[in-house]
Amino acid sequence: MALSVLDEKSKRPEEGGLAEVLGKSMGLWDAIHIYLAESYPGVENEWQFTSPKYGWIQRTRHKKRTILYMTPGRGSFVVSFCLGGKAVAAAEQSVLPEDILNEIRNARQYAEGRGVRVQVKRRADVDTVKKLVEIKMAN
């Protein structure tokens, strides 16, 4: 089974189908998109089917820079980031939840940075995503 609940390559995600899958967390999905659009005018969201292992994910970019990836699940979703060295250092100085900081600390280091994933199920998770966006965009 793919990481994304939307795993059929031939079926491009649609707003109605996404709301059905996400259920109550659709409002959280929308809250992140509203925040990004208001904070970073010109953001673009693009659906991608990367592989059968991952299924459909949505990439959000500002100009040519990828900000985050959103992966729909049943009743929730995952927001993924790649944080460079400066962003990792800034995260350490922030008020992020300890579990997120531990994930950053323990993430494998790649040339483009460290990966962190946030499972979004409630409003507090949206606040964590916003903090990570701010850190990433400032660094």
Side-chain angles (χ1 to χ4, degrees), residues 4-106:
S4 172
V5 73
L6 304 175
D7 58 0
E8 290 184 45
K9 186 176 184 177
S10 64
K11 293 180 80 174
R12 189 168 188 80
E14 298 176 9
E15 197 67 29
L18 183 61
E20 182 180 315
V21 167
L22 292 177
K24 292 179 182 178
S25 68
M26 185 70 199
L28 303 174
W29 179 282
D30 289 340
I32 291 171
H33 283 286
I34 290 167
Y35 163 76
L36 290 166
E38 290 175 351
S39 301
Y40 306 96
V43 293
E44 296 176 359
N45 301 305
E46 174 188 25
W47 283 103
Q48 299 177 314
F49 189 90
T50 55
S51 73
K53 180 179 177 181
Y54 293 102
W56 285 98
I57 60 171
Q58 188 179 75
R59 177 175 64 177
T60 300
R61 298 177 78 174
H62 184 252
K63 300 182 181 173
K64 292 185 178 185
R65 184 177 188 192
T66 298
I67 301 173
L68 54 78
Y69 297 91
M70 295 173 73
T71 307
R74 192 145 316 274
S76 68
F77 57 96
V78 174
V79 179
S80 305
F81 296 87
C82 184
L83 303 177
K86 290 179 185 177
V88 168
E92 286 287 350
Q93 303 302 315
S94 73
V95 293
L96 287 167
E98 194 62 30
D99 61 324
I100 299 297
L101 289 172
N102 284 333
E103 184 174 343
I104 293 169
R105 291 177 190 127
N106 296 322

